[in-house]
Amino acid sequence: MAKILVVDDDQGMRELLEIMLTEEGYRVSTSADAGKALTRCRKETFDLIITDLKMPKMDGISFLREVKDLSPETMVILITAYASGETAVTAMNEMANDYIEKDFTIEDLKKIIRDALTKKGVKRDDSLLLKK
């Protein structure tokens, strides 16, 4: 079963992603702080990390670099409200698996996550899907 870490200083975004990903059958952890998330990544392995680009103390690109140094096989998706071509190129050059603007649709994000995890060879646990 895929383990996903959501790193975003915006509590609403963290909660939205946690609910959506849990309903999709993933094991989800969250962090409001990239530094604390990095400490956590030193102790446990995540299949996928979804991180905000703009955060206090450590931005998403710096966090991405640190994660990839610790665990090159971890898939990382950057999300941002401040998209630019330059930032997207930097993110992809630093081995982000994808880069998406915060005005994403839930279905688009679900597809990006499924594609990233499929590429890694990890599947969700369908037995954990919540009944609606």
Side-chain angles (χ1 to χ4, degrees):
M1 165 191 358
K3 284 177 58 177
I4 298 175
L5 175 63
V6 175
V7 184
D8 198 317
D9 59 319
D10 179 338
Q11 181 179 351
M13 181 60 70
R14 280 194 321 274
E15 289 174 355
L16 169 74
L17 292 174
E18 181 177 24
I19 290 166
M20 184 267 296
L21 293 167
T22 300
E23 287 178 350
E24 286 296 302
Y26 301 114
R27 287 192 347 215
V28 183
S29 300
T30 65
S31 180
D33 178 275
K36 290 179 182 174
L38 197 53
T39 298
R40 191 164 187 180
C41 289
R42 289 185 180 103
K43 295 177 183 173
E44 62 184 295
T45 303
F46 293 93
D47 298 300
L48 174 71
I49 297 174
I50 301 170
T51 183
D52 191 11
L53 178 64
K54 299 261 184 186
M55 296 181 285
K57 300 180 188 174
M58 179 185 290
D59 67 21
I61 298 291
S62 298
F63 177 70
L64 168 64
R65 287 180 187 133
E66 295 283 339
V67 166
K68 288 298 186 171
D69 283 346
L70 287 172
S71 178
E73 69 282 354
T74 298
M75 308 300 266
V76 179
I77 298 170
L78 278 167
I79 56 173
T80 185
Y82 307 97
S84 75
E86 181 181 333
T87 305
V89 169
T90 300
M92 300 314 272
N93 285 340
E94 293 295 335
M95 300 184 57
N97 297 92
D98 218 318
Y99 177 92
I100 187 168
E101 292 182 45
K102 279 194 175 180
D103 64 349
F104 59 82
T105 68
I106 295 296
E107 289 309 313
D108 286 344
L109 183 58
K110 286 179 184 180
K111 181 182 183 325
I112 289 168
I113 290 167
R114 279 192 306 268
D115 290 350
L117 292 171
T118 298
K119 184 176 179 182
K120 187 174 185 337
V122 179
K123 296 181 181 177
R124 68 182 181 197
D125 185 350
D126 289 336
S127 69
L128 295 180
L129 290 176
L130 298 177
K131 303 295 181 206
K132 294 185 181 184

